[in-house]
Amino acid sequence: MLQHGSQSKKEEARVKYEKEEMERLEMQRIENEKLQKLEAKDLERRNEELEELYLLEACFPEAEKLKRDNRFLSQWKHYIQCDGSPDPSIAQEINTFITLWKEETNETLEEVIEKSKLVLNLIEKLKLILLETPPYDLQGKNIIQYQGSILELQELLHLKFNRATEILLRQASTLADLDSGNMEKVIRDESVTLYIWANLKKNPRHRSIRFSETQTGFEIPRILATSDIALRLLHTHYDHVTPLSPVLTPSQENISIITDFVKEEVKSVPTAVSKDLQEEKKQQENESNSVHEEETKAEGQGDVEEQMCPVQEEPETTKYEMEMKLISETVLAAQELLLENACEKPNFFEENEVDLCQFTTLGGVYHLDILELPPQCKPMKGWMIVEILKEGLQKYTYPPETAEDLEAENAFPPIEVTLEVHENVIFFENPMVARWDAEGKHWKTDGISNVSYKPEERLITFNLETFCPVTLIQDAHINMPYQSWELRPLDVNKVLLTVTTVFTELQIQIKENLCMLASIKVNNKNHSTILEEKWMTPVSFIIALKKAGLNIFPTGHSHLYVVINYKHPLVEVKAYRQMALLSSAFAFCWSKWNTACDSKKAIFQVREHLLKEEPTQNPNWTLLMFSGDRAQSLKINESSDAFSEVLKEETEFHSTLYHMVKDFASQEAMRAVRRPSCQFVDSVCHMLLSTRLLSFS
């Protein structure tokens, strides 16, 4: 009996399992059929959706054309201003400016500092031209010319500071302090701070030097305290020491290939158009002759004129369309290149060399020099007599090159240096100190010891074996990867991008072709900065944020130093372009599930966000998955326990984000999408491409 009962239960279990399996298979079959129908429907309307997207994305070539026109306009405005300043993009003008300035002699430090404002402006203009001009508009010879001009201006500016320092030091005895008997001078300006101390008394007890009303100073050894020397600290708030292009990336080679391709295509446009028009014209003339054979000569001429009208209009229209298509394709290719990752780290051959792909210099450069005191001015019968050395300002070698090791350790100890950290720079960790190796042309971290940093006083103290340019460095990727991000509309042609990192929360406003830092929080506390409320073009804005230590802009090498959630460049580009198109009426934000899908898919949240709506505590977000070619709404949400790519009920596949959100958006929202200017959409897209939110969060 027991055996029979046991077999009966097994049979019931088997039947139940088979029934459940059949039901599961049936449900799976129905689901598969449903998916096949949705995929077929998506495929059927794919061309139509892509054509509509192409029309919407016409804003990108239009914005590029506007930027090109603005570049020409700014050149023209500069030309008609006639203010005496050169156009740095014109070789003849900048070369003339450099030559004339070289001929100017006996300039004081105050005069050099005043002239430096123009020089720094010219350097910034040249750097912006190199960064803002699309690769297909910039020729190789122009790059060499602009970079050459930048280097010449940088070298000449430093030379002028040296000559002006020499002129000042010749008069050191007449400017001596009554108490110490030594000369001390501090000059502050928006771009430089200069500290000079001349050792006139040579008092062996006077070894602690502190510049008045500052914490900046030196602790010098006895041998320097008794020598004919001057100490100079020239703190340039800019960096003219680091090489302009330390690494040549493969993407630059690809850009040159695209450049050549575009030029050839643009040349071929007029030829192709003219051939087509000639054929059409012949065909229409033949038709005209056969139809109107029996009509009068006057009527025939009228008909020909009527038929010729549209033909005459066609060349310009066709040429413009083909030109815009080429610009559109090249802009897309250039955007993809922005997201290309380098295959390997650059090669570094020296120990202690700073990897400039991993670290960034901040707060400018501190040029530290021990100088030989030049012969002093002497009054004689109402005149000032001074001996001018032919070799000019000379550096004092410390420690001497001939000193033996044991003697050097005792007699020539390191010099203690205390520097003020630039007030407009944010360090999220204690800064590292690097010195410039003039021979190897790179920054190094050896020869520096006993580094201590006081963040409240913004003072850094360290020992330096020998005087040379030094700078402060920070990990360039300290704010990567991001913890979260959000993009939401604020007004017509205005959005707010919020990026949250481990240390900070940045809020960036974007309107038209401008960006602004709206607010910044450091360790959850509001932090004030001079960048707030200042509108700048996207490229200038990115440069300014990087200089302030707020780097949220990855490079092609960043993935080698940060653990990222890699997404295929084409998927990223398409996502950012379409998010920018929708940003005037829809909010987007980070999703934790973006890390769960593969590199050919991106997941983020989206919701309709009209300007009249009041902000809510728990907004209703829709979770979207996008592969570049297909968008779908997911069944899961942010609070789900496990990841699944299952399609949300009563939703469909679409080829674009635009058509995906159209399924659940209001008509008002879809109308709002078509209102923004092309410059605004382009600026939003540029910021998304520059931050790479989908890969670096």
Side-chain angles (χ1 to χ4, degrees):
M1 284 290 289
L2 287 169
Q3 190 177 0
H4 184 268
S6 175
Q7 286 178 349
S8 177
K9 283 180 181 178
K10 282 183 180 179
E11 184 65 22
E12 284 176 12
R14 185 185 64 77
V15 171
K16 186 182 177 183
Y17 171 77
E18 286 179 356
K19 185 181 178 183
E20 286 175 353
E21 184 65 15
M22 285 178 69
E23 286 174 356
R24 187 187 67 79
L25 290 171
E26 180 62 20
M27 284 177 68
Q28 191 176 353
R29 185 188 65 78
I30 293 167
E31 193 64 33
N32 287 340
E33 281 183 7
K34 185 181 173 184
L35 282 174
Q36 285 172 5
K37 285 179 183 177
L38 290 173
E39 285 174 354
K41 190 176 181 180
D42 177 39
L43 196 63
E44 189 180 331
R45 63 189 173 198
R46 179 174 172 75
N47 288 339
E48 186 184 330
E49 289 186 350
L50 291 177
E51 281 174 16
E52 192 170 358
L53 177 67
Y54 179 77
L55 293 173
L56 289 169
E57 289 188 334
C59 62
F60 293 111
E62 283 172 19
E64 194 55 62
K65 212 168 187 312
L66 268 175
K67 284 190 273 189
R68 192 184 294 176
D69 293 342
N70 287 336
R71 285 194 291 272
F72 291 135
L73 185 63
S74 64
Q75 282 186 318
W76 173 247
K77 281 181 179 177
H78 181 274
Y79 175 75
I80 60 175
Q81 271 177 352
C82 298
D83 59 358
S85 65
D87 183 341
S89 64
I90 299 172
Q92 188 179 350
E93 287 191 29
I94 198 70
N95 290 340
T96 303
F97 172 81
I98 290 168
T99 304
L100 291 173
W101 197 29
K102 278 180 182 177
E103 291 171 0
E104 291 179 29
T105 54
N106 300 323
E107 290 171 288
T108 64
L109 281 165
E110 287 79 7
E111 288 171 335
V112 172
I113 287 170
E114 189 58 37
K115 190 68 171 275
S116 73
K117 292 173 184 176
L118 172 60
V119 175
L120 292 172
N121 185 39
L122 294 173
I123 291 169
E124 285 306 307
K125 279 184 178 179
L126 285 167
K127 286 182 177 178
L128 279 175
I129 290 169
L130 289 167
L131 289 168
E132 289 185 335
T133 309
Y136 46 88
D137 279 353
L138 203 58
Q139 296 179 4
K141 63 179 182 180
N142 294 128
I143 296 170
I144 294 166
Q145 176 200 316
Y146 299 154
Q147 288 185 333
S149 297
I150 290 169
L151 291 172
E152 268 197 271
L153 287 167
Q154 289 177 349
E155 288 168 9
L156 182 56
L157 181 57
H158 196 68
L159 178 67
K160 288 287 182 179
F161 273 116
N162 285 345
R163 286 179 179 171
T165 301
E166 184 186 0
I167 291 168
L168 176 69
L169 288 175
R170 286 185 205 141
Q171 307 164 35
S173 56
T174 64
L175 301 169
D177 180 67
L178 294 174
D179 295 331
S180 67
N182 296 318
M183 188 214 80
E184 178 192 303
K185 192 173 182 69
V186 178
I187 302 173
R188 291 183 180 273
D189 193 72
E190 60 187 38
S191 57
V192 293
T193 307
L194 183 67
Y195 307 85
I196 298 180
W197 178 81
N199 190 16
L200 300 170
K201 282 292 180 182
K202 295 184 277 296
N203 183 350
R205 293 179 183 177
H206 192 82
R207 293 164 60 181
S208 183
I209 301 158
R210 285 289 176 274
F211 291 94
S212 57
E213 298 180 9
T214 74
Q215 295 292 320
T216 301
F218 313 100
E219 293 290 333
I220 60 174
R222 183 185 178 87
I223 191 168
L224 291 180
T226 56
S227 300
D228 278 324
I229 60 155
L231 299 178
R232 182 184 71 171
L233 164 56
L234 172 62
H235 178 200
T236 59
H237 303 169
Y238 47 83
D239 179 2
H240 285 176
V241 176
T242 305
L244 294 175
S245 305
V247 180
L248 179 67
T249 57
S251 57
Q252 288 175 323
E253 294 167 14
N254 294 339
I255 286 171
S256 63
I257 295 166
I258 290 172
T259 306
D260 297 336
F261 168 75
V262 171
K263 284 176 182 173
E264 289 301 316
E265 289 294 321
V266 170
K267 283 178 188 174
S268 68
V269 169
T271 314
V273 171
S274 60
K275 282 182 180 178
D276 291 342
L277 288 171
Q278 284 174 6
E279 288 176 9
E280 286 181 26
K281 186 177 175 182
K282 283 180 183 178
Q283 188 180 349
Q284 288 185 0
E285 281 177 351
N286 291 336
E287 287 174 4
S288 177
N289 290 336
S290 62
V291 172
H292 302 290
E293 205 171 32
E294 296 176 358
E295 293 184 4
T296 60
K297 189 176 181 181
E299 287 172 346
Q301 285 175 347
D303 291 337
V304 171
E305 283 173 9
E306 284 175 13
Q307 288 183 11
M308 285 299 292
C309 285
V311 178
Q312 288 171 347
E313 289 172 6
E314 196 170 340
E316 290 303 317
T317 309
T318 312
K319 186 178 177 181
Y320 176 79
E321 285 175 358
M322 290 187 77
E323 182 192 359
M324 294 305 281
K325 187 179 179 182
L326 282 170
I327 293 174
S328 178
E329 289 174 357
T330 320
V331 166
L332 178 60
Q335 288 173 341
E336 284 179 55
L337 288 171
L338 279 175
L339 306 184
E340 264 193 12
N341 291 331
C343 298
E344 56 186 20
K345 292 182 182 181
N347 291 319
F348 292 98
F349 305 101
E350 288 198 27
E351 196 179 353
N352 301 311
E353 184 179 341
V354 175
D355 180 354
L356 289 173
C357 291
Q358 182 179 5
F359 296 96
T360 183
T361 64
L362 288 178
V365 176
Y366 300 86
H367 297 265
L368 295 164
D369 296 293
I370 306 174
L371 305 167
E372 291 182 4
L373 203 59
Q376 296 299 293
C377 294
K378 293 176 183 176
M380 190 177 288
K381 296 179 182 179
W383 292 82
M384 293 296 287
I385 306 299
V386 63
E387 180 189 351
I388 298 175
L389 300 175
K390 188 179 179 182
E391 58 270 20
L393 194 66
Q394 293 295 300
K395 288 190 177 182
Y396 181 92
T397 307
Y398 179 90
E401 293 173 359
T402 54
E404 293 180 7
D405 292 343
L406 186 63
E407 184 188 342
E409 278 183 26
N410 300 323
F412 305 103
I415 302 165
E416 186 182 287
V417 181
T418 300
L419 302 175
E420 291 180 356
V421 177
H422 197 294
E423 61 183 353
N424 297 326
V425 173
I426 299 173
F427 283 96
F428 297 99
E429 292 178 345
N430 289 354
M432 293 179 281
V433 184
R435 65 171 183 88
W436 179 247
D437 180 1
E439 212 173 297
K441 301 287 182 189
H442 46 236
W443 294 104
K444 296 187 79 174
T445 54
D446 60 344
I448 300 159
S449 57
N450 299 337
V451 181
S452 66
Y453 178 57
K454 297 177 181 176
E456 295 80 15
E457 300 171 54
R458 296 187 72 80
L459 290 175
I460 190 160
T461 303
F462 54 91
N463 289 348
L464 199 60
E465 289 179 6
T466 182
F467 266 26
C468 57
V470 298
T471 190
L472 305 181
I473 58 174
Q474 179 173 260
D475 187 347
H477 309 99
I478 199 163
N479 284 309
M480 300 176 205
Y482 324 126
Q483 291 187 319
S484 63
W485 59 268
E486 184 185 9
L487 178 72
R488 62 181 173 88
L490 288 179
D491 204 343
V492 179
N493 290 327
K494 193 174 183 180
V495 296
L496 180 72
L497 173 63
T498 304
V499 180
T500 306
T501 74
V502 172
F503 295 101
T504 183
E505 180 190 274
L506 294 172
Q507 290 199 329
I508 300 165
Q509 286 188 19
I510 307 166
K511 71 169 184 181
E512 291 295 336
N513 61 334
L514 300 170
C515 300
M516 178 191 77
L517 183 62
S519 74
I520 173 174
K521 286 181 181 178
V522 178
N523 296 323
N524 296 318
K525 293 178 183 177
N526 288 327
H527 183 90
S528 60
T529 168
I530 59 162
L531 294 178
E532 285 181 77
E533 307 300 321
K534 284 188 177 180
W535 289 100
M536 292 175 262
T537 61
V539 172
S540 299
F541 178 75
I542 290 168
I543 293 170
L545 250 62
K546 283 183 174 181
K547 281 183 180 176
L550 300 169
N551 184 21
I552 53 166
F553 308 102
T555 65
H557 290 94
S558 294
H559 69 288
L560 300 169
Y561 305 96
V562 183
V563 177
I564 69 164
N565 179 26
Y566 175 74
K567 299 296 174 186
H568 193 277
L570 190 58
V571 174
E572 273 197 275
V573 169
K574 287 184 176 182
Y576 297 146
R577 283 164 68 100
Q578 293 179 41
M579 284 162 69
L581 285 169
L582 297 167
S583 62
S584 58
F586 293 87
F588 296 87
C589 86
W590 165 89
S591 168
K592 69 178 183 182
W593 299 118
N594 189 40
T595 56
C597 61
D598 61 42
S599 62
K600 293 183 180 179
K601 294 168 186 172
I603 296 175
F604 45 86
Q605 298 180 81
V606 63
R607 69 184 179 93
E608 186 179 310
H609 187 102
L610 295 173
L611 304 178
K612 63 183 181 182
E613 290 179 0
E614 291 293 324
T616 55
Q617 286 286 339
N618 298 304
N620 186 23
W621 293 95
T622 299
L623 198 63
L624 293 187
M625 184 167 74
F626 184 58
S627 67
D629 296 320
R630 174 177 287 177
Q632 70 182 77
S633 182
L634 297 180
K635 187 177 182 179
I636 58 170
N637 56 38
E638 283 300 290
S639 56
S640 298
D641 295 327
F643 176 67
S644 169
E645 293 187 7
V646 173
L647 190 70
K648 189 177 180 180
E649 292 88 349
E650 298 179 4
T651 63
E652 299 179 354
F653 296 120
H654 285 280
S655 299
T656 73
L657 291 178
Y658 173 81
H659 295 91
M660 186 70 246
V661 299
K662 199 175 180 181
D663 278 358
F664 60 80
S666 65
Q667 289 185 354
E668 188 180 350
M670 298 317 293
R671 282 196 297 270
V673 167
R674 295 178 176 269
R675 289 192 201 117
S677 69
C678 61
Q679 285 182 309
F680 164 74
V681 175
D682 184 69
S683 296
V684 174
C685 183
H686 187 91
M687 199 53 59
L688 294 174
L689 286 163
S690 300
T691 49
R692 297 192 65 180
L693 301 171
L694 295 174
S695 279
F696 280 79
S697 57

